[in-house]
């Protein structure tokens, strides 16, 4: 005859066994977010070496309403995410399909393609800053050889964000390529062959067979990359610092300046929450869109 | 992370320095006795990887060699300094015993009570009278919330008093038969005469958004006899950023940059300006004195031996030039153990002696003592910058000496940059800056106000 306590322990054992993982998750994830929420409705002042918070959400909202750079940062971020992710998806997908069709050298190309992801972001920023330098950059030197330029890549309001996007595309196309290449390699060969036996051209196979089958992988690549693009910081920080003017200011960079340059912790936290909400809203829309697209799968 | 190779590097550099000193006949001043600070606890210094760092590192090597006391250096890029310092003072024990703070950051630390007044660590400490005032940024009067020795406590000492100088190509000026520029009008005239873009730009200074343009424009603004606010030391925070004088200064700055600098003037940072001069692509640059070594170092510069220094030019002929001090401050965190605080102050006292300052200068540093700057060193070609530096530093003044400096600098850095790149008309940019700065002071409870807006 087992005791009631023993029965209770048996019954609740799955819950107890999850407790360590749950506690770690709460400590490492939920607590910082709760702390961020608390900070976003507070203003901070340091007295005698101790940081003191005062509950004052209106103060941070006032910053929010009067921030002269925020609008430009939001617009630039949306442009950056839309353009860079779209280009990366198109190039990554095209490369994945083309490389998958090769009979030899796939391994070598895959190895070469992964290199930009392996380069540390600081090195990427420094390297491209040198490449795009107005007076000494390789790119302008090359253009001069063919009688063009020099182009003010990083100092022109219209080109600064374009330059950051170019670097971002160079950096992240391999990421998209690797995801989609694995997906293309995993496609059922018999379906493709059946389409060809039925008289479909290569182009028709790509459009009407491969792409529908690749939709889930494309969705995953798009969502992953878009989330990362919303948070892009290192490239713009190193290349342009958000300038000239506000032409390449992104939310993450603006957040850095508010938090770490101006030491405005309360408003910085409120901006962080805003950014998190933006990404969550994007994810919900993207999930909705991909869920409706999932029905197209054969 | 401390650099594990630092000790080895310092040992090698120290041995080299001492070897050189032994091999060369030492000048009289260098043969003086260095301060004996006795045996001290090991200390760690948070130090920036600025152009003057190499000279400082060699001075530290000398200290270690002479005293046997251990000094670790955490060499950090400028961008990471402030955050490391903020984190250090908030822990239970600071990993650093000396924090090197840019003058713009000091008030945040003074007001918050993170730093230990030096007199509370060592009652005998006082600044040698030969040490430059450097805008008095290392004094803090808590009642006035202002950096001043009047009623203030000594919170730090200066390892470097950065100001601008104009570095110019003496060879090109000689060829063209022109003198060193004394005014910005002279700079413009000389630039037009010698420049040949894109191979040679006439005059370059920083135009990038942020601290770069804000600090480099300050020589123009102060030279017109006006600052951001009316009288910060007297508590009058009326914003004068949009006065007609500042507009004249901004127009002067933009004219120079548009006429003489590269097309990408609005994105030029310190490294770009130094590179343009060192590579022989600029006839004149206005940079901080700390950059001088880059022009004279044959391993880095194509124009070594051809560059001369001139004091900051007058913005208005006949008026005092506007010299903005942007110095560094060695400070001691409150949350470092007492023995290490004492060791930190001992190092500071040693560092400010005439002998140490001379060694620091000989190693490529920028000394902070007048007697070192006026010594026989100034007659040597590699120290030809010293008279120009001294002429400027004596009329230098601190900028943004208030707690809101970081926010105000962000505003100025953006609006000035927008004016330079043509995104905003100068008057519009200054009116916007004045509105935004006045809003900052209103929020923080300062006695503030605004001038009538400039006609746009």
């Amino acid at each position: 005859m087992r005791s009631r306590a023993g029965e209770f322990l048996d019954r609740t054992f799955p819950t107890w066994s999850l407790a360590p993982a749950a506690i770690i998750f709460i400590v490492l994830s939920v607590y910082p977010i709760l702390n961020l929420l608390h900070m976003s409705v507070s203003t901070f002042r340091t007295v005698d070496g101790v940081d003191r918070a005062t509950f004052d959400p209106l103060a941070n909202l006032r910053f929010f309403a009067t921030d002269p750079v925020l609008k430009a940062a939001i617009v630039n971020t949306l442009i950056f995410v839309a353009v860079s992710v779209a280009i990366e998806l198109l190039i990554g997908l095209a490369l994945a399909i083309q490389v998958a069709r090769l009979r030899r050298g796939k391994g070598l190309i895959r190895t070469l393609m992964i290199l930009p992801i392996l380069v540390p972001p600081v090195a990427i920023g420094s390297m491209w800053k040198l490449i795009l330098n107005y007076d000494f950059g390789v790119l302008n030197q090359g253009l001069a050889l063919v009688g063009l330029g020099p182009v003010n890549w990083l100092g022109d309001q219209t080109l600064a964000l374009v330059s950051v996007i170019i670097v971002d595309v160079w950096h992240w196309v391999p990421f998209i390529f690797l995801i989609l290449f694995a997906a293309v390699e995993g496609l059922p060969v018999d379906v493709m062959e059946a389409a060809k036996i039925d008289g479909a051209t290569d182009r028709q196979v790509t459009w009407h067979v491969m792409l529908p089958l690749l939709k889930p992988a494309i969705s995953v690549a798009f969502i992953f990359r878009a989330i990362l693009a919303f948070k892009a910081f290192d490239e713009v920080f190193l290349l342009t610092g958000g300038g000239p003017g506000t032409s390449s200011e992104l939310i993450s960079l603006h957040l850095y300046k508010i938090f770490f340059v101006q030491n405005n912790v309360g408003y910085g936290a409120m901006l962080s929450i805003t950014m998190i909400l933006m990404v969550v809203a994007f994810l919900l829309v993207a999930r909705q869109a991909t869920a409706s697209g999932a029905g197209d799968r054969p | 992370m401390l650099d594990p190779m630092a000790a080895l590097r310092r040992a090698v550099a120290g041995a080299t320095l001492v070897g050189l000193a032994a091999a060369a006949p030492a000048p009289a001043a260098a043969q003086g006795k260095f301060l004996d600070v006795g045996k001290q606890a090991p200390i760690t210094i948070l130090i920036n990887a600025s152009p003057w760092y190499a000279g400082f590192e060699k001075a530290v090597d000398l200290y270690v060699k002479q005293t046997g006391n251990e000094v670790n250096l955490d060499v950090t890029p400028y961008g990471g300094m402030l955050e490391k310092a903020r984190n250090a003072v908030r822990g239970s024990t600071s990993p650093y015993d000396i924090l090197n703070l840019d003058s713009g950051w000091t008030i945040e630390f003074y007001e918050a009570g993170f730093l230990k007044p030096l007199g509370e660590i060592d009652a005998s400490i006082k600044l040698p009278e030969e040490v430059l005032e450097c805008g008095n940024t290392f004094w803090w009067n808590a009642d006035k919330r202002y950096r001043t020795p009047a009623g203030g406590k000594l919170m730090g000492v200066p390892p470097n008093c950065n100001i601008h100088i104009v570095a110019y190509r003496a060879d090109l000026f000689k060829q063209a038969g022109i003198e060193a520029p004394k005014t910005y009008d002279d700079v413009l005239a000389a630039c037009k005469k010698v420049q040949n873009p894109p191979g040679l730009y006439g005059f370059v200074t920083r135009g990038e958004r942020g601290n770069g343009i804000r600090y480099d424009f300050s020589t123009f603004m102060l030279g017109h006899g006006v600052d951001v606010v009316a009288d910060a030391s007297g508590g009058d925070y009326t914003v004068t950023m949009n006065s007609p004088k500042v507009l004249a200064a901004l127009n002067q700055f933009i004219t120079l940059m548009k006429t003489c600098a590269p097309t990408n003037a609005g994105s030029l940072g310190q490294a770009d300006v130094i590179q343009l001069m060192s590579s022989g692509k600029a006839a004149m640059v206005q940079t901080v004195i700390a950059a001088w070594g880059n022009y004279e170092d044959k391993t880095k510069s194509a124009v070594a031996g051809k560059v001369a220094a001139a004091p900051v030019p007058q913005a208005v002929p006949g008026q005092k030039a506007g010299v903005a001090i942007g110095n560094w401050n060695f400070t001691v965190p409150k949350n470092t153990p007492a023995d290490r605080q004492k060791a930190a102050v001992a190092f500071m006292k040693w560092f400010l002696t005439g002998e140490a300052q001379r060694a620091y200068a000989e190693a490529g540093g920028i000394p902070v003592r007048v007697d070192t700057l006026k010594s026989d060193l100034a007659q040597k070609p590699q120290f030809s910058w010293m008279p120009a530096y001294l002429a400027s530093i004596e009329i230098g003044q601190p900028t943004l000496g208030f707690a809101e400096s970081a926010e105000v600098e962000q505003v100025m850095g953006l609006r000035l940059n927008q004016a330079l790149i043509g995104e905003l008309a100068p008057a519009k940019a200054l009116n916007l800056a004045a509105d935004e700065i006045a809003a900052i002071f209103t929020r923080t409870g300062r006695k503030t106000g605004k001038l009538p807006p400039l006609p746009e």
Side-chain angles (χ1 to χ4, degrees):
Chain A
M1 184 84 185
R2 299 189 57 206
S3 68
R4 292 177 73 181
E7 279 181 21
F8 173 77
L9 281 175
D10 283 350
R11 202 172 56 247
T12 56
F13 176 74
T15 310
W16 294 117
S17 61
L18 280 174
I23 290 166
I24 290 169
F25 174 76
I26 287 165
V27 169
L28 296 181
S29 305
V30 177
Y31 173 74
I33 289 180
L34 287 176
N35 197 36
L36 195 66
L37 279 167
H38 166 249
M39 285 159 64
S40 72
V41 292
S42 309
T43 54
F44 288 82
R45 192 157 174 262
T46 313
V47 181
D48 293 330
V50 180
D51 292 322
R52 296 197 175 132
T54 307
F55 179 75
D56 190 3
L58 287 179
N60 294 332
L61 279 171
R62 273 195 294 275
F63 278 119
F64 206 86
T66 57
D67 186 335
V69 179
L70 184 60
K71 187 184 164 192
I74 290 173
V75 171
N76 287 340
T77 302
L78 293 174
I79 292 170
F80 176 81
V81 171
V83 176
S84 64
V85 174
I87 294 172
E88 285 156 20
L89 271 173
L90 286 171
I91 297 174
L93 180 62
L95 280 171
I97 291 169
Q98 289 307 317
V99 173
R101 284 180 177 156
L102 295 175
R103 294 188 185 281
R104 300 170 72 178
K106 285 184 192 179
L108 176 66
I109 291 174
R110 195 172 47 203
T111 306
L112 290 174
M113 284 295 296
I114 207 169
L115 287 177
I117 307 178
L118 300 180
V119 182
V122 172
I124 288 173
S126 307
M127 182 176 79
W128 278 93
K129 192 159 187 167
L130 287 172
I131 291 169
L132 298 169
N133 185 287
Y134 182 78
D135 279 290
F136 307 102
V138 169
L139 202 52
N140 278 351
Q141 305 273 0
L143 288 172
L145 289 176
V146 293
L148 297 172
V151 178
N152 190 5
W153 296 104
L154 302 175
D156 181 274
Q157 295 110 287
T158 50
L159 280 179
L161 189 60
V162 172
S163 301
V164 174
I165 289 170
I166 289 169
V167 175
D168 192 76
V169 167
W170 177 86
H171 187 183
W172 288 106
V173 158
F175 174 80
I176 304 280
F177 164 80
L178 288 174
I179 292 175
L180 297 183
F181 180 68
V184 172
E185 290 281 86
L187 288 176
V189 179
D190 53 343
V191 176
M192 239 76 75
E193 284 176 351
K196 282 184 179 172
I197 289 165
D198 287 344
T201 61
D202 277 355
R203 194 173 162 185
Q204 287 170 323
V205 169
T206 302
W207 277 104
H208 300 293
V209 181
M210 275 180 108
L211 285 181
L213 288 171
L214 285 172
K215 255 190 184 173
I218 293 169
S219 300
V220 168
F222 169 69
I223 288 169
F224 272 11
R225 182 59 208 116
I227 290 171
L228 291 171
F230 267 109
K231 300 190 293 179
F233 171 79
D234 35 47
E235 288 152 358
V236 73
F237 176 73
L238 291 158
L239 287 169
T240 65
T246 55
S247 62
S248 61
E249 185 90 355
L250 300 182
I251 292 182
S252 54
L253 180 65
H254 187 50
L255 191 57
Y256 161 81
K257 287 172 185 169
I258 298 289
F259 249 123
F260 297 110
V261 180
Q262 296 181 23
N263 203 29
N264 191 339
V265 178
Y267 177 48
M270 188 173 268
L271 260 186
S272 302
I273 300 284
T274 308
M275 196 166 168
I276 291 168
L277 291 175
M278 271 175 74
V279 176
V280 168
F282 164 79
L283 278 175
L284 290 173
V285 172
R287 207 178 76 166
Q288 197 69 29
T290 52
S292 62
D296 300 340
R297 288 175 63 180
Chain B
M1 272 292 279
L2 296 181
D3 182 358
M5 294 298 290
L8 178 64
R9 278 205 320 271
R10 281 198 308 280
V12 171
T16 308
L17 190 71
V18 171
L20 285 172
Q31 291 170 345
K33 204 170 178 301
F34 282 81
L35 182 69
D36 180 7
V37 298
K39 189 72 193 141
Q40 299 288 345
I43 59 168
T44 303
I45 304 176
L46 175 65
I47 189 81
N48 42 301
S50 287
W52 53 275
Y53 169 73
F56 177 73
E57 186 185 43
K58 286 172 184 167
V60 169
D61 293 332
L62 192 59
Y63 175 77
V64 171
K65 194 101 185 155
Q66 283 187 1
T67 64
N69 295 328
E70 190 184 328
V71 179
N72 299 299
L73 299 174
D74 183 7
V75 188
T76 302
Y78 183 88
M81 288 287 291
L82 179 56
E83 211 42 43
K84 278 191 176 183
R86 281 178 180 154
N87 290 336
V89 295
R90 283 174 166 83
S92 55
T93 304
S94 169
Y96 307 113
D97 309 299
I98 294 180
L99 298 174
N100 193 30
L101 300 178
D102 191 341
S103 57
W105 309 335
T106 51
I107 297 174
E108 177 189 322
F109 287 78
Y110 295 163
E111 284 218 303
F114 285 131
L115 305 173
K116 188 98 168 175
L118 301 188
E120 292 177 19
I121 301 168
D122 179 350
S124 72
I125 191 167
K126 75 180 181 63
L127 281 181
E129 58 186 26
E130 296 87 352
V131 170
L132 298 164
E133 283 184 357
C134 297
N136 287 320
T137 56
F138 30 82
W139 296 92
W140 180 241
N141 181 326
D143 296 332
K144 280 181 92 175
R145 292 179 68 202
Y146 202 71
R147 297 176 300 187
T148 172
K153 288 181 175 174
L154 184 65
M155 304 299 291
V157 303
N160 166 282
C161 288
N162 246 344
I163 55 157
H164 293 98
I165 49 128
V166 170
Y168 66 97
R169 288 279 301 279
D171 57 330
L172 296 178
F173 273 55
K174 195 175 175 184
Q175 273 173 29
I178 44 180
E179 297 288 309
K182 290 186 174 61
T183 68
Y184 281 119
D185 292 343
D186 294 346
V187 171
L188 184 62
C191 135
K192 285 176 176 171
K193 198 159 185 178
V194 299
Q195 74 177 355
N196 183 22
L200 182 71
Y201 300 111
F203 171 81
V204 187
T205 193
R206 285 183 293 179
E208 68 176 354
R209 179 182 155 189
N211 169 268
I213 193 169
R214 196 283 303 169
Y215 183 59
D216 285 15
F217 170 70
S218 60
T219 61
F220 292 78
M221 185 167 73
L222 297 175
H224 276 80
V226 64
D227 205 340
V228 182
V229 294
D231 179 18
S233 61
D236 181 0
Y237 281 76
T238 302
V239 179
T240 51
M241 187 71 204
N242 63 333
S243 74
K245 285 182 176 178
V246 179
L247 181 61
L250 183 54
N251 284 327
Q252 186 177 45
F253 176 77
I254 292 171
T255 301
L256 255 177
M257 293 294 265
K258 293 277 185 216
T259 310
C260 307
T263 310
N264 63 331
S267 62
L268 289 172
Q270 181 151 276
D272 302 308
V273 178
I274 292 171
Q275 191 178 30
L276 285 166
M277 188 68 185
S278 304
S279 63
K281 288 201 78 167
M284 283 177 282
V285 292
Q286 180 172 280
T287 52
V288 288
I289 185 66
W292 180 263
N294 294 280
Y295 312 138
E296 284 298 326
D297 183 342
K298 288 186 171 70
T299 63
K300 296 179 188 171
S301 173
V303 294
K306 298 175 183 174
V307 185
V312 173
Q314 294 169 353
V316 179
Q319 270 190 34
K320 192 175 77 168
V323 179
I325 298 175
N327 65 299
W328 289 88
N329 303 260
F330 275 167
T331 59
V332 181
K334 230 178 206 170
N335 61 336
T336 192
D339 61 333
R340 282 166 32 193
Q341 289 181 347
K342 194 169 143 289
V345 172
F347 170 77
M348 291 178 191
K349 286 167 92 171
W350 177 93
F351 182 70
L352 291 179
T353 58
E355 294 79 8
Q357 284 290 299
R358 185 179 179 98
Y360 177 45
E362 286 173 331
I366 309 297
V368 293
R369 284 180 65 115
V370 173
D371 52 353
T372 310
L373 292 162
K374 287 182 173 173
S375 70
D376 58 305
L377 285 180
Q379 310 308 316
K380 298 181 179 180
Q382 68 266 41
F383 300 109
S384 60
W385 53 269
M386 283 187 173
Y389 174 67
L390 203 50
S392 289
I393 193 79
E394 284 173 345
I395 55 167
Q397 50 191 306
T399 58
L400 304 187
F402 34 77
E404 300 86 345
S405 63
E407 263 186 282
V408 171
E409 179 164 270
Q410 291 279 300
V411 170
M412 290 174 71
L414 171 62
R415 299 308 179 194
L416 292 170
N417 180 255
Q418 286 177 311
L420 175 62
I421 63 175
E423 199 171 280
L424 291 175
K428 171 86 173 163
L430 295 178
N431 284 337
L432 276 172
D435 289 345
E436 289 158 7
I437 293 167
I440 291 167
F441 290 135
T442 303
R443 196 185 66 239
T444 55
R446 301 279 194 187
K447 186 186 137 197
T448 188
K450 281 189 296 184
L451 301 179
L454 291 161
E456 292 174 13

